Amino acid sequence: MRTDPEPEGHGPVRYGPSLPDDGLPPLPELTDVLAAAAGRAAEPVGGGPALREAACGHFARRALPTGPARVAAAPGAPPLLLALTAAVGGDVLVPRPCAAWWAPYARLLGRPVFHVATPAECGGVPDPYALLETVRRVRAEGGDPRLLVLAVADDPTATVAPPEVVHETVEAAAAEGLLLVSDETWRDTVHAPHETVLLGPAEMLPERVVVVTDLAGALLPGGWPAAVARFPDDAAGGDLHARVLDVLTALDARVAAPDAAAAAYALGDPAPVTARRETSVRLHAHLAAALHGAVVAAGALARPPQAGRHLYADLEPLRGALERRSVGDAQELEDFLTARLGMPAPGGHRFGDDLAAPRVRLSTGPLLGAGDGERARHPDSPALWEQPQVQRALNRVKSVFDDLCDDAQRWEPPR
């Protein structure tokens, strides 16, 4: 019997979670650029010269020299991944868990998606030995694995894969002839950049890696869709770039002119954007640490968050308390926590995890307030987390998890 490519879970794809929002108002300088470009002509598919040149500078400052002929832009990372999957063909491999938006685009094309276990210390990158075994099994059962999608700075686990793990996985993938797509959306949101080493696959094996970055991760508001991709600088990379542009053209997937102007400005790393990004990273690192403390104090499991604006928690130690509340799987956990916390809490099944496992992604953005009026108060203040609405939200999280912990302890058998 062929390896099951992906459990369906329950809950329709259209309810899948979006990228974690930063909960802050748009940067005024970005808003000005966006407004000034409102009357511009439409961008060409793949991005105009200004946007692609800005992307080249962005990649070069991150140790990835790039020419404009090897860059493509799209209205968000999903169209880029869809185009890449269509252009490469074959089956797709992803880690378990993985970003919620990766697998649906392969399914849309009728491509099997196979989840690969991750190592104990991180998510986002498959365990190299599990990867080799999965490729062997899929091929033995008649499959055709060609594409591996991974993220060194990961959504949903908020971990950063150690360079040695990335290196071993990249070597294993290359040995099996796989093309890698490195989702680096969260690369610039590492919480402790001076203590955490982030090394991307393209820095190790540039001829086998396409880098995709959704600018909603660190540079633009989520409602301004723009993403860029960097292709290998060889003949094969040029051919792949051309095929991806063909798919984007068929979809008419072009970045709106105002969004393209804002993206080009942000990709240049000007001082206002850099300052806001650093402020946002510090803020969300503080909030993620507070979430982690509340979850772990209640007895649940979670790796310490290292990047992004989220936390991935395993509530298996609290299963008894959850079952007494009629929570038996990840969908029911999602419903329960979303209602109790007053903010989205997508279950692990949204990220390719086992439906039966009580896992959940918690985001930090909703802690900053539900409305624009709350969010706009002193957005660049280093003490934003001390504002009343933030403290109320954190106290609500702590209260919900403390109740589960107290219930679990009451029912523990005497030792």
Side-chain angles (χ1 to χ4, degrees):
M1 183 175 69
R2 184 165 184 189
T3 306
D4 181 18
E6 184 174 8
E8 287 299 322
H10 65 251
V13 168
R14 65 179 178 274
Y15 297 146
S18 58
L19 291 178
D21 183 65
D22 71 355
L24 298 173
L27 189 67
E29 289 82 355
L30 280 174
T31 303
D32 291 343
V33 172
L34 185 89
R40 285 191 185 178
E43 284 277 300
V45 171
L51 179 53
R52 288 186 288 114
E53 285 286 357
C56 290
H58 172 87
F59 287 124
R61 288 187 294 276
R62 287 151 183 81
L64 293 173
T66 308
R70 291 294 183 271
V71 171
L80 286 172
L81 185 58
L82 174 65
L84 279 162
T85 305
V88 173
D91 301 345
V92 179
L93 301 167
V94 296
R96 183 191 300 278
C98 70
W101 57 274
W102 290 358
Y105 293 95
R107 288 202 301 264
L108 185 65
L109 295 167
R111 303 284 165 73
V113 178
F114 296 92
H115 288 268
V116 186
T118 56
E121 61 265 42
C122 66
V125 175
D127 176 88
Y129 299 103
L131 175 63
L132 292 172
E133 174 60 19
T134 302
V135 170
R136 184 196 64 80
R137 281 193 302 159
V138 171
R139 285 179 176 155
E141 296 166 358
D144 182 21
R146 298 188 194 177
L147 191 65
L148 170 63
V149 188
L150 49 74
V152 176
D154 183 43
D155 171 19
T157 66
T159 58
V160 175
E164 59 272 18
V165 172
V166 179
H167 188 268
E168 291 174 0
T169 299
V170 168
E171 283 193 332
E176 295 299 330
L178 303 178
L179 179 75
L180 288 80
V181 175
S182 177
D183 177 7
E184 301 193 0
T185 296
W186 301 105
R187 180 187 182 114
D188 290 343
T189 67
V190 174
H191 297 170
H194 299 297
E195 303 169 16
T196 307
V197 179
L198 191 156
L199 192 61
E203 297 169 68
M204 302 177 183
L205 196 68
E207 69 274 13
R208 297 295 303 171
V209 180
V210 177
V211 176
V212 173
T213 299
D214 196 308
L215 304 192
L219 297 177
L220 293 180
W224 303 5
V228 291
R230 176 194 185 273
F231 292 77
D233 189 18
D234 58 11
D239 290 343
L240 179 60
H241 179 265
R243 295 199 302 274
V244 165
L245 289 181
D246 285 343
V247 178
L248 293 176
T249 299
L251 297 172
D252 196 27
R254 63 184 78 221
V255 184
D259 293 337
Y265 174 74
L267 284 165
D269 291 321
V273 171
T274 300
R276 168 59 72 85
R277 182 176 67 227
E278 292 173 351
T279 298
S280 177
V281 169
R282 286 194 300 270
L283 168 63
H284 288 282
H286 183 94
L287 295 175
L291 279 180
H292 181 259
V295 166
V296 172
L301 306 173
R303 298 185 184 99
Q306 297 175 289
R309 303 187 282 258
H310 46 281
L311 175 79
Y312 199 60
D314 184 350
L315 276 62
E316 182 62 39
L318 303 174
R319 182 178 284 278
L322 291 170
E323 289 177 344
R324 284 186 284 278
R325 289 162 172 79
S326 301
V327 175
D329 63 21
Q331 178 64 54
E332 291 167 352
L333 178 62
E334 174 182 310
D335 297 339
F336 172 79
L337 287 179
T338 296
R340 298 303 189 280
L341 299 177
M343 66 183 201
H349 63 302
R350 306 289 187 187
F351 310 98
D353 231 334
D354 184 0
L355 176 65
R359 297 178 187 136
V360 65
R361 187 190 74 183
L362 302 175
S363 297
T364 52
L367 300 174
L368 296 175
D372 292 340
E374 286 185 335
R375 295 182 179 191
R377 296 174 191 167
H378 313 297
D380 295 321
S381 168
L384 179 59
W385 54 77
E386 296 177 0
Q387 292 188 13
Q389 78 274 11
V390 178
Q391 292 304 308
R392 286 195 299 270
L394 286 172
N395 288 337
R396 189 183 307 119
V397 173
K398 188 175 185 300
S399 175
V400 169
F401 278 90
D402 282 350
D403 285 348
L404 290 172
C405 177
D406 292 344
D407 186 32
Q409 290 176 346
R410 279 196 301 270
W411 288 83
E412 278 186 357
R415 295 180 180 178

